[in-house]
Amino acid sequence: MNDFSEKPNKVKVCGMTREADIEHALNCGADYIGMILYPKSPRAISVSRAEELLQVIPEGKGVAVDVNTGTDDLMRYRDAGFGSFQIHVEFTIGFPSLAAWSGMVGREQLWLVPKIPPREEFPQVVLEFADSIMIDTYSTDAHGGTGEVGDWTQFNYWATLYNHKQWILAGGLNPENIRKAAENTEADVLDLSSGVESEPGIK
């Protein structure tokens, strides 16, 4: 894992499952540590395991990652001590879910990741409920974690158009292309996962 201390952007390392990997990422300068609570992910951990890992993460740096989260689950993540909440959502997500999530954790802590098919317009409704928006590479059968680089030109268009938000770029980032991503996109945060793994969940 590279040293992130000279970066102008913030960096999140996601899919963490081990204390040693978390400590190494933090020593390299990572700003956020993501833990995946979505059961279908190969990097999924339990909430109880997440609570253990949060003990080695400075307050506010832990990010809970889930898909179309139920309100009971989101309450458990909040009570576990996470600082931010990254929720991957379907393109057609309804107003009630967005309002419920934002109301529970606050728009400042909510990171929304809309699953936007190619050639679709950005779903502006998400802007009403979260101050941070993540764009991950689109896949018909996955919510992120594909290891494929996305459309940076499209990302930059949205990040410039809605520049009052924090924009997070995910999808295929690794030590070979993260500097290029930092220099060539409008990303405020760069999200690394499979690009710094030896196997899912092992950094």
Side-chain angles (χ1 to χ4, degrees):
M1 201 177 295
N2 284 6
D3 187 340
F4 306 130
S5 59
E6 300 300 321
K7 66 198 183 310
N9 315 75
K10 291 184 177 180
V11 171
K12 169 175 166 276
V13 183
C14 198
M16 292 296 206
T17 63
R18 305 190 303 178
E19 285 87 350
D21 294 340
I22 291 172
E23 291 170 352
H24 183 52
L26 291 170
N27 288 336
C28 287
D31 300 280
Y32 301 104
I33 300 296
M35 285 171 273
I36 298 176
L37 303 167
Y38 179 54
K40 294 182 180 180
S41 169
R43 301 169 184 84
I45 60 173
S46 66
V47 177
S48 60
R49 177 58 178 149
E51 289 175 323
E52 294 173 351
L53 295 176
L54 283 166
Q55 299 307 306
V56 301
I57 301 173
E59 184 177 357
K61 292 196 172 197
V63 182
V65 181
D66 198 6
V67 175
N68 297 322
T69 310
T71 52
D72 288 345
D73 286 334
L74 185 56
M75 186 178 299
R76 291 174 65 206
Y77 306 160
R78 183 193 63 189
D79 294 345
F82 284 99
S84 300
F85 306 86
Q86 175 184 320
I87 303 180
H88 292 247
V89 299
E90 299 297 338
F91 182 67
T92 55
I93 190 68
F95 182 97
S97 294
L98 295 171
W101 295 331
S102 187
M104 289 183 68
V105 301
R107 60 185 301 152
E108 299 86 0
Q109 282 73 48
L110 184 59
W111 298 9
L112 288 176
V113 194
K115 186 174 179 178
I116 309 174
R119 296 175 294 280
E120 289 285 355
E121 296 293 326
F122 184 83
Q124 295 187 39
V125 64
V126 303
L127 302 173
E128 299 179 33
F129 298 101
D131 287 343
S132 297
I133 306 297
M134 177 184 285
I135 300 298
D136 203 343
T137 305
Y138 179 78
S139 169
T140 57
D141 56 0
H143 292 272
T146 65
E148 299 294 327
V149 175
D151 185 343
W152 292 358
T153 300
Q154 182 66 79
F155 176 90
N156 282 343
Y157 174 74
W158 288 330
T160 302
L161 187 62
Y162 307 113
N163 61 9
H164 59 296
K165 299 295 181 180
Q166 171 173 263
W167 285 85
I168 306 161
L169 177 65
L173 299 182
N174 56 54
E176 286 69 45
N177 66 12
I178 190 170
R179 184 177 296 277
K180 183 178 180 181
E183 293 173 348
N184 291 278
T185 75
E186 298 297 320
D188 300 296
V189 182
L190 300 167
D191 188 287
L192 290 157
S193 184
S194 61
V196 289
E197 287 183 334
S198 57
E199 59 183 272
I202 306 301
K203 308 301 185 198

